[in-house]
Amino acid sequence: MRDALDATPYDALLLLSFGGPEGPDDVVPFLENVTRGRGIPKERLKEVGQHYFLFGGVSPINDQNRALLDALRKDFADHGLDLPIYWGNRNWAPYLTDTLREMVADGHRRILVLATSAYASYSGCRQYRENLADSLAALEAEGLELPKVDKLRHYFNHPGFLEPMVDGVVESLAELPEDVRDGAHIAFSTHSIPTASADTSGPVEGHGEGGAYVAQHLEVARLIADAVRERTGVEHPWQLVYQSRSGAPHIPWLEPDICDHLEERHESGVPAVVIAPVGFVSDHMEVLYDLDTEAKAKAEELGLPMRRSATVGDDPRFAAAVRDLVLERAAVERGQEVTPCARGALGADHNVCPVGCCPARAPKPAAAGVDSPYA
């Protein structure tokens, strides 16, 4: 915790997330929002929506964000940090533009943004910044006074993000049958993205094979695996794997897929696997379907003992990490010298995205970066 709980110059925090349907009638309109501009027929969207229909047309992500909001508000109140917290989504209500309009009406002019994505990538960072720019442009067209909006740095290696996942892996290992526990492998899973997007993730100087996206995930996997070894006294082999691939089959995406990985591990004689979804803040649809449904079915088909560890969700340590990040960034904005909290060799990520960071295929204005039109 910082010495003084002073969020100045910021007067509000915005939780910015993906959004999800909250009933069967929401599924296709939600997917239309997600895929807008790609010309995907409604019938195809209905097919894609089957994942949601299996769960009653309800994505768990909105309730998970409500739980995170409650955890953040409690943590801030318990520690005397007087900073109101709002919530807006990219693809479903409460929509980002509506939330920013509400924040402006409430008098807020310096806003910090917490995105529910811990890593550098176009979809996990730059696209959210583009959404912010679109919303600010909409408010500007309405003649509203625009707030200055900044985004919290990537928090993949903050201990408040890492420690709950370490606990989750240790607990999952303990749930395995004793005769296979020590030989279990750990599959650290994250969202697959096109290799071209991965290669250009992060600042320009880090572009190359896998870019910052893969490097950051590998760092998290190593840090968790090292902590698990220290806690259990057992060295568990591990690998970074991917899930939730979509898009045209001829476009290369990051591999191996989690189900292919389970087959390969089984064929090589591995006695058990723990899947740790380190790429996700909460147990939303891609975790419930791709891991708890598809990967679980594949493991059962193979006769391979498998457990899936928990995501961070609304863990109090994550809420405390967000408080720490807010106070850190506020101190930086006030010109104070700050020692950022981060584990591992990569250190704390940049506060302001530089030019060329996680570029889009078609350039668009993005807020909260060096090249923001809303500085």
Side-chain angles (χ1 to χ4, degrees):
M1 196 173 84
R2 304 296 173 190
D3 292 334
L5 300 189
D6 183 5
T8 307
Y10 298 107
D11 54 27
L13 176 68
L14 169 62
L15 176 66
L16 178 55
S17 194
F18 192 81
E22 301 206 72
D25 293 341
D26 297 343
V27 172
V28 172
F30 162 73
L31 292 173
E32 287 175 332
N33 289 341
V34 174
T35 61
R36 182 173 288 117
R38 301 183 203 172
I40 298 176
K42 184 171 287 190
E43 291 307 311
R44 174 58 183 151
L45 294 180
K46 289 180 181 177
E47 294 175 17
V48 174
Q50 291 306 311
H51 295 182
Y52 292 96
F53 292 127
L54 286 173
F55 295 87
V58 179
S59 169
I61 194 171
N62 287 333
D63 278 346
Q64 289 162 3
N65 281 326
R66 293 182 184 104
L68 178 57
L69 281 171
D70 289 344
L72 291 172
R73 287 167 177 155
K74 182 180 187 305
D75 179 272
F76 284 18
D78 288 349
H79 291 84
L81 177 57
D82 184 17
L83 192 70
I85 309 172
Y86 294 72
W87 169 36
N89 288 325
R90 173 188 294 171
N91 297 303
W92 202 249
Y95 288 104
L96 171 59
T97 301
D98 296 336
T99 300
L100 279 177
R101 187 183 295 111
E102 177 187 0
M103 297 176 81
V104 169
D106 289 346
H108 299 299
R109 296 296 180 268
R110 288 297 304 271
I111 296 170
L112 260 180
V113 176
L114 167 68
T116 54
S117 173
Y119 303 88
S121 71
Y122 171 73
S123 58
C125 184
R126 173 84 191 193
Q127 191 171 9
Y128 281 119
R129 294 174 49 227
E130 291 176 356
N131 299 148
L132 286 164
D134 289 342
S135 293
L136 290 170
L139 299 188
E140 186 175 42
E142 295 171 12
L144 298 178
E145 183 179 352
L146 296 186
K148 186 177 187 303
V149 177
D150 293 325
K151 180 178 174 292
L152 289 172
R153 65 177 172 88
H154 301 126
Y155 45 84
F156 62 94
N157 57 359
H158 194 288
F161 184 67
L162 292 168
E163 287 167 3
M165 293 190 291
V166 173
D167 286 353
V169 173
V170 171
E171 290 165 9
S172 293
L173 287 165
E175 292 171 1
L176 288 168
E178 189 173 356
D179 61 332
V180 299
R181 187 179 303 149
D182 286 354
H185 284 219
I186 306 171
F188 292 103
S189 186
T190 190
H191 204 301
S192 184
I193 61 175
T195 56
S197 293
D199 293 347
T200 56
S201 57
V204 172
E205 60 269 21
H207 290 179
E209 187 174 356
Y213 186 75
V214 172
Q216 290 171 0
H217 279 89
L218 286 172
E219 178 78 338
V220 166
R222 182 187 64 78
L223 288 167
I224 294 174
D226 288 350
V228 169
R229 184 188 65 246
E230 292 172 6
R231 290 265 294 273
T232 65
V234 178
E235 180 89 39
H236 290 276
W238 60 268
Q239 185 171 340
L240 180 63
V241 301
Y242 302 93
Q243 62 178 88
S244 312
R245 181 200 162 120
S246 61
H250 68 279
I251 296 176
W253 283 54
L254 293 173
E255 296 178 335
D257 175 78
I258 178 59
C259 288
D260 294 338
H261 177 72
L262 291 176
E263 287 188 345
E264 192 277 330
R265 294 292 86 188
H266 176 65
E267 290 171 1
S268 66
V270 167
V273 172
V274 166
I275 301 176
V278 295
F280 306 91
V281 170
S282 63
D283 289 4
H284 56 68
M285 185 57 69
E286 286 167 322
V287 175
L288 293 186
Y289 184 79
D290 296 322
L291 298 183
D292 293 355
T293 305
E294 284 196 328
K296 180 182 178 183
K298 174 57 69 175
E300 289 174 349
E301 172 193 322
L302 297 169
L304 178 66
M306 185 271 280
R307 297 292 184 275
R308 195 269 290 175
S309 66
T311 52
V312 171
D314 59 348
D315 189 288
R317 289 168 292 183
F318 182 47
V322 174
R323 169 171 39 90
D324 183 74
L325 291 166
V326 166
L327 296 173
E328 172 196 301
R329 181 61 184 275
V332 169
E333 290 298 304
R334 295 194 301 268
Q336 295 176 231
E337 195 168 317
V338 175
T339 301
C341 188
R343 287 185 181 162
L346 295 183
D349 217 29
H350 52 262
N351 278 317
V352 181
C353 292
V355 175
C357 193
C358 305
R361 284 173 291 181
K364 285 186 62 179
V370 170
D371 55 352
S372 170
Y374 299 103

